[in-house]
Amino acid sequence: MPSEPYGAAIGTALPAETAPEAPSPPPPEPVAAPSVGAALPCPDDMAYVDTAFCPSVERRCLDLEHDKINNLDICHAFSHEQRCKGRERRIAFCIDRYEYPNRKGAHPVWMLDWPEAQATCESNGKRLCWASEWTAACEGPEHTPFPYGWERDHDKCNVDNFYIDPIRSGPKGQFFFYARDEGVAHKELSRLDQSLPSGDLETCKSGFGVYDMPGNFDEWVVSDEPPRERSKWAGLKGGAWGHVRSQCRPMTYSHDPEFRYYFVGFRCCRDVQGAPSWAPSRHAMAPPAVEPHDFASTPVVATAAPGPSKHKFSRTGRAE
């Protein structure tokens, strides 16, 4: 793990037992399926998501691990059944197929905060995704907790790598990857980089055709929930390449919107004309307006990066 913990992800609690039966919720709003041969309302580099989405789902974990380092629970297998606590709603939008810069084989961007990520999306006529949009794209048409199904598998997405410890300038000094000297920062960023090129794993693809949602890079989103901890209107989804939950539902709230890190990136979304826009909770904090600007115009090229570790964390915490 990094010598200074990145922060534990916080998400929907995993009940140990099924809750008592509740009254059946009203039927979901209808989902409009495109007619055969009809052009989809998204450009080729974006996936079209139109589905019935449950904002609050109840699932039963069958194999739970408590990770003491990050103080979080990691579920390795879910029961193949779930219950929506409330009403499903239609959600329809376009989402980048890959982590920004949204090109297969490209290195995802790093070290951008939430305002810079939002500004970069807006410079391309897009925006950051709502957290619920991100979740819906990840869970796919089958609404599974992982994009590939019900059981956690670190061979399908880039997760469970053993971290490389960042270097500081002193015991309480600044990490080298924050250095003002670009050469120093880039050398350290490359040394720490355990990512894979976007779309490198065909197995890490949701049913909507969106890649690398769990793992690889953590991704900025717009929180559509009431603010928690330091996050205000922002959140991070998916986890990065380490031993974290790597599910579709959890979100990290422990960082403010100005946070930058070596495995934090983003992807963009866009509204679909004629479809209702996703509405956040009325208790959510509205994000500030930003001036469109491309903060990622220079492609990221890591130098001699190690990539994923040869061994992976097992649920025992030992190498597998």
Side-chain angles (χ1 to χ4, degrees), residues 208-220:
F208 288 118
V210 187
Y211 289 80
D212 304 321
M213 301 200 79
N216 217 37
F217 272 71
D218 221 348
E219 301 181 23
W220 284 118

Side-chain angles (χ1 to χ4, degrees), residues 1 47 90 112 189 230 267 299:
M1 282 294 296
R90 181 190 175 193
L112 293 187
L189 287 166
R230 301 169 60 185
R267 74 181 72 220

